[in-house]
Amino acid sequence: MLTNINPTLSGRGPARNSATLAANGQDDVVDLRRETVLVGADELYTALKRLSSLLNSHPYPGLTKRLLAPLLSPLWTISTWPPASKEFDERYRRPADILLQIYLKLAGSPDKFRALLGKLLHNGNVGASNIRWKYNQVGESGLEVKRLQGSTNVADQDLDLGLLESKSDAFIQLLQSVGTDLDISTLFLNLLKNSLTSTESAQEIKVKPETQQQTDSVVPLIEAKMLQKMMEKLSDQLVSSWKQMLELVSQILGEFQKSSANDDAIPVALSLLNLVVAAPGFQRSNVPPGTLASIESSLERISKAQDTDASQTARNLSLLLKYRDTIDDPSERITAPTDRQVEDRKTYNLAISYITQADSPPPVRTEGLSLLSGLIRAGSPIVDVQATLVLLSSLLNEDEDYINLTVVRIFTQLASKHPRSTTKEILEHYVDASERETTDARLRFGEALLQVIQRLGETFAGETAKQVGEALLSIAGRRGHRPKTKAKQERAEELEKRKNKAANDAWQGEAPDLSELDEDQTEEEKARNEIIAQIVSGWESKRGAEDTRMRASALSIFSVGIETNVAGLGATLVEAAVDLCLNVLTLESGPETGILRRAAIVLVLHFVRALADAREHGKRLGFGLPDSSREDIARVLEYVAHTDNDGLVREHANDVVESLQNWQLSTLVPPEPLHGGGSATLTKLAGLDIGTHLKPSLPPLEPGARPRIEEIE
């Protein structure tokens, strides 16, 4: 797939496309200059399509960067091919442009853009390698890869100066769409430095091959064209790294009058200096002292030169630089952010743009979430907590697993630093009082809430635990009512009745069930499918009641809260939860509520285990399990263990009964001291002291004497 886009990766061309040198007779002539087709137009289109599908189905930035790294130059060539037709754009140019933007968003850097600029006019690979090839248009809607023979002129095939204008415009558009301010500024400064360096070394005489002479003459032309385009269209983004700009200006001005060639760069340096100094928020105190002193001395030297234009500009800039701090009102002066804050702000804006752009492919959105996660882990103050929570909530509504898993993880990271705000945002969507969320979306918020509780650990207490516990019990209870859902269900039932009536009228009687015509199913399979359908349909909300899946989810999350920190929930909420579970086990015994009873029995099991763990570790919970309550719970569970129609519920009920019996036995034995010496021994049973140190002293017996037993009335 990759070799169809970049044949250089294969090392040799396909055997079926190699030139055939066999001759049928003595007079047959083989044309070695003929260009053979390496990859057909349909094969190239299929490769681009498959690569796009692969990257969209596997949204991992690492895989995307490894696959697209060797295709940087070919994708640029295809995406900037002269437009031929709409079909050509859809088959080749648009997919290549999307792939190129994906790669540069994930792995973009000034070096990558510089490498791409070096191949601005290249078409294929025409250098001295195993395969020399180029792209060639076929008709109005086809693009193929041709193999070049040894006699093909490299210069003619490699560079086409007629495309310089269109290619440079395309490069600027690419910079605007995927390049950051730092990328643009660094690239501009590098190009400017190279331009000045090439000007100084232009007078040296060197002997070079003909092909290298042409290449070396084209590169400065491309760089000069790009500098012009960037100053025309990206002028507001060239001063992103103003410190680097000032260092360059200081270097240029410091070389004044050392060489005549360098004098041409002085006006450019003065313009850049004016751009930096006149920028809002500029302060002399933020400039490194060495750089500032060098610039001021250079300006003074230039102002005394004979060149009237440059000297006058230097004098004006010297005065502006000297009195720059007095121009702005001190009360309105803004404190300059630190370098860390600037970088964090750029990273945050880049992450938000990657996530929120409507056409962002999966790898780019994943990279945006990864950048946001990094800022949260670092505790950056740039992160807007409320805006981030709203963004994450909107993403969790999407039915994309790769996004949902990452969003849940970011929720847990935010909860470590902002537990109250995070749990409040999740609870609002989980409870869904306005009835806007779907059941699947609410369950995803439930998963986020569960992991947040586990992440909080012992800090899951106080007002946060109280709000979470009350919300979970309100959902798990039988009194939940959702009027909007009820109205929607009534409309759906009315529509279903109309459809059934129309079908009955068409059949002039009761319409037959066409699903029974499936003869491949046995009677046992049909019965099992009917039971499953009944159970699944029973999960849905009836007459505005809460969905069974949501009730089971709420009980499961509450049980995790008990397991995490039962003391944080408090006696009132835990008692209400246990009573609710016992009512569920006894009153809701239908097959469709099996998942609800499973969640209820697990909650009781976690409650008993939490009490045992607290007793074992010497923790004081403030509440316990009296004998009367323990007996009531055991009686209900024994009944459930013998009568419930769900095997898993019966098994869990037996486990809880056994745990209660063990709990009863453990209460007879005093807890083992945490910091005591020696091994623990049984010294007391229900108030009866049997310690060896308290045994009554008996008189010693004479040798050979037997103890006398007397009966006392």
Side-chain angles (χ1 to χ4, degrees):
M1 178 177 63
L2 299 182
T3 56
N4 285 343
I5 303 175
N6 186 1
T8 308
L9 301 175
S10 64
R12 61 182 181 85
R16 64 180 178 84
N17 290 327
S18 58
T20 303
L21 301 181
N24 295 327
Q26 297 180 353
D27 297 333
D28 290 344
V29 178
V30 178
D31 188 2
L32 297 179
R33 296 174 299 175
R34 186 181 59 182
E35 297 176 349
T36 58
V37 177
L38 282 177
V39 181
D42 293 337
E43 291 176 319
L44 181 58
Y45 163 71
T46 303
L48 291 172
K49 184 178 180 181
R50 288 179 178 175
L51 183 58
S52 301
S53 301
L54 175 63
L55 298 182
N56 286 328
S57 59
H58 293 78
Y60 302 107
L63 174 64
T64 303
K65 288 186 283 189
R66 287 195 298 271
L67 290 177
L68 295 182
L71 305 180
L72 180 61
S73 179
L75 290 177
W76 164 256
T77 303
I78 298 175
S79 63
T80 58
W81 196 270
S85 62
K86 183 177 180 180
E87 183 180 359
F88 183 87
D89 293 346
E90 294 295 330
R91 285 169 60 91
Y92 302 103
R93 292 187 61 190
R94 180 172 174 78
D97 184 61
I98 294 176
L99 293 174
L100 181 62
Q101 291 191 25
I102 290 175
Y103 176 72
L104 291 177
K105 284 182 178 180
L106 298 179
S109 65
D111 294 337
K112 291 289 192 304
F113 287 105
R114 184 63 187 274
L116 192 60
L117 186 61
K119 298 182 178 296
L120 189 75
L121 300 178
H122 285 202
N123 177 11
N125 181 25
V126 298
S129 62
N130 294 334
I131 299 180
R132 301 173 65 248
W133 56 275
K134 70 170 185 176
Y135 291 109
N136 182 60
Q137 185 172 342
V138 182
E140 293 293 329
S141 60
L143 188 67
E144 64 183 9
V145 179
K146 280 192 173 183
R147 183 169 189 168
L148 303 178
Q149 301 303 326
S151 60
T152 307
N153 190 353
V154 174
D156 294 341
Q157 297 293 342
D158 191 10
L159 304 176
D160 186 357
L161 294 180
L163 299 176
L164 179 59
E165 186 69 24
S166 61
K167 293 261 186 179
S168 59
D169 289 338
F171 188 83
I172 293 296
Q173 292 178 1
L174 186 65
L175 271 179
Q176 290 176 325
S177 60
V178 301
T180 63
D181 292 344
L182 181 61
D183 294 336
I184 296 174
S185 177
T186 305
L187 178 63
F188 176 76
L189 293 178
N190 290 338
L191 292 178
L192 188 57
K193 285 182 180 179
N194 288 344
S195 176
L196 298 176
T197 304
S198 62
T199 303
E200 294 177 359
S201 59
Q203 299 176 354
E204 299 181 6
I205 300 176
K206 295 181 180 180
V207 179
K208 298 181 180 180
E210 181 180 356
T211 56
Q212 186 176 355
Q213 289 180 5
Q214 179 174 358
T215 304
D216 292 344
S217 63
V218 172
V219 171
L221 178 62
I222 295 176
E223 293 183 352
K225 187 69 174 179
M226 199 55 58
L227 280 172
Q228 178 186 355
K229 292 284 185 180
M230 294 180 72
M231 296 187 69
E232 290 177 356
K233 299 183 179 181
L234 303 175
S235 58
D236 56 338
Q237 296 176 274
L238 300 181
V239 202
S240 174
S241 180
W242 59 271
K243 290 185 178 180
Q244 294 182 7
M245 184 78 75
L246 287 181
E247 292 177 359
L248 177 62
V249 170
S250 175
Q251 178 183 353
I252 298 174
L253 297 181
E255 299 292 330
F256 178 67
Q257 289 184 346
K258 288 186 179 181
S259 63
S260 59
N262 200 36
D263 293 344
D264 298 335
I266 298 301
V268 177
L270 294 177
S271 299
L272 295 177
L273 180 61
N274 178 66
L275 195 63
V276 174
V277 176
F282 176 82
Q283 296 181 11
R284 285 172 54 95
S285 58
N286 297 328
V287 182
T291 304
L292 182 62
S294 174
I295 292 177
E296 288 180 338
S297 61
S298 299
L299 289 177
E300 183 178 359
R301 187 169 62 252
I302 296 173
S303 63
K304 297 178 181 179
Q306 299 298 326
D307 189 350
T308 56
D309 294 336
S311 59
Q312 182 63 35
T313 304
R315 282 192 293 270
N316 295 337
L317 284 175
S318 180
L319 292 174
L320 177 61
L321 188 60
K322 183 177 181 179
Y323 299 104
R324 179 65 178 82
D325 291 347
T326 61
I327 296 178
D328 297 333
D329 188 356
S331 60
E332 299 179 356
R333 187 172 299 168
I334 303 175
T335 303
T338 62
D339 293 341
R340 172 67 182 277
Q341 291 175 339
V342 172
E343 290 299 323
D344 287 352
R345 171 60 64 183
K346 293 178 180 179
T347 303
Y348 181 74
N349 293 335
L350 186 64
I352 296 301
S353 65
Y354 283 178
I355 296 171
T356 57
Q357 284 179 357
D359 56 346
S360 287
V364 175
R365 302 188 73 183
T366 304
E367 180 69 12
L369 291 172
S370 178
L371 294 175
L372 183 60
S373 176
L375 292 175
I376 294 174
R377 289 197 307 270
S380 174
I382 300 299
V383 178
D384 188 341
V385 178
Q386 293 300 327
T388 303
L389 289 174
V390 173
L391 174 62
L392 295 177
S393 298
S394 63
L395 292 175
L396 205 55
N397 284 318
E398 299 182 8
D399 193 14
E400 294 288 351
D401 291 339
Y402 75 93
I403 289 181
N404 296 334
L405 295 175
T406 308
V407 167
V408 170
R409 176 168 53 84
I410 296 178
F411 265 128
T412 60
Q413 294 171 355
L414 273 176
S416 300
K417 303 180 182 300
H418 309 278
R420 182 171 299 181
S421 301
T422 305
T423 52
K424 181 180 178 182
E425 178 70 21
I426 296 175
L427 274 180
E428 287 181 358
H429 292 271
Y430 185 65
V431 175
D432 189 28
S434 58
E435 304 183 41
R436 297 178 180 177
E437 310 286 351
T438 62
T439 301
D440 291 339
R442 295 177 66 192
L443 291 175
R444 288 194 288 269
F445 280 102
E447 176 64 23
L449 180 60
L450 183 145
Q451 294 195 22
V452 165
I453 293 174
Q454 292 177 332
R455 183 67 172 265
L456 293 178
E458 295 295 331
T459 61
F460 179 63
E463 188 66 25
T464 300
K466 181 181 178 182
Q467 292 178 355
V468 172
E470 291 176 350
L472 294 176
L473 292 182
S474 67
I475 295 176
R478 304 180 61 192
R479 298 182 179 180
H481 183 64
R482 302 174 67 82
K484 294 182 180 179
T485 304
K486 181 180 179 180
K488 182 179 179 180
Q489 292 170 350
E490 291 176 350
R491 291 194 298 268
E493 290 177 359
E494 183 65 25
L495 181 61
E496 186 67 22
K497 288 180 180 179
R498 293 179 181 177
K499 290 182 178 179
N500 292 337
K501 184 177 182 302
N504 294 335
D505 294 341
W507 282 90
Q508 297 180 356
E510 185 177 357
D513 187 2
L514 300 180
S515 61
E516 297 178 354
L517 299 179
D518 189 0
E519 299 179 355
D520 296 337
Q521 294 183 351
T522 62
E523 293 297 331
E524 182 180 355
E525 292 177 346
K526 291 181 179 180
R528 181 170 56 85
N529 292 337
E530 289 179 0
I531 295 175
I532 294 175
Q534 179 183 358
I535 293 175
V536 173
S537 63
W539 289 348
E540 299 178 356
S541 172
K542 297 294 189 297
R543 295 183 298 276
E546 187 61 85
D547 194 290
T548 304
R549 291 166 291 182
M550 290 301 307
R551 297 179 61 193
S553 171
L555 288 180
S556 300
I557 297 173
F558 199 99
S559 66
V560 171
I562 291 177
E563 186 180 22
T564 302
N565 187 12
V566 64
L569 289 170
T572 305
L573 290 176
V574 173
E575 181 182 359
V578 174
D579 291 341
L580 174 61
C581 291
L582 295 179
N583 291 331
V584 167
L585 291 172
T586 54
L587 299 178
E588 303 190 45
S589 57
E592 67 278 359
T593 56
I595 58 174
L596 185 61
R597 297 196 304 278
R598 293 178 184 180
I601 200 71
V602 169
L603 189 149
V604 178
L605 179 61
H606 284 175
F607 168 65
V608 177
R609 289 180 177 176
L611 293 180
D613 292 341
R615 180 179 178 82
E616 180 180 355
H617 294 88
K619 295 181 179 179
R620 300 182 62 88
L621 300 179
F623 58 91
L625 185 62
D627 291 340
S628 58
S629 300
R630 177 184 53 77
E631 293 173 357
D632 292 339
I633 295 174
R635 184 175 61 254
V636 172
L637 295 180
E638 288 175 355
Y639 172 78
V640 172
H642 289 87
T643 60
D644 200 276
N645 55 16
D646 191 310
L648 191 57
V649 174
R650 294 196 302 269
E651 182 180 351
H652 284 326
N654 289 323
D655 293 340
V656 178
V657 171
E658 182 179 356
S659 299
L660 287 174
Q661 294 174 353
N662 295 335
W663 164 260
Q664 182 182 6
L665 292 177
S666 66
T667 56
L668 299 176
V669 181
E672 178 183 350
L674 295 179
H675 303 285
S679 60
T681 58
L682 185 62
T683 60
K684 185 180 293 186
L685 282 176
L688 177 61
D689 198 340
I690 59 174
T692 56
H693 63 286
L694 296 178
K695 288 194 289 186
S697 60
L698 299 176
L701 298 177
E702 297 179 359
R706 300 178 62 183
R708 185 178 59 183
I709 301 176
E710 295 181 359
E711 183 178 355
I712 301 175
E713 295 182 358

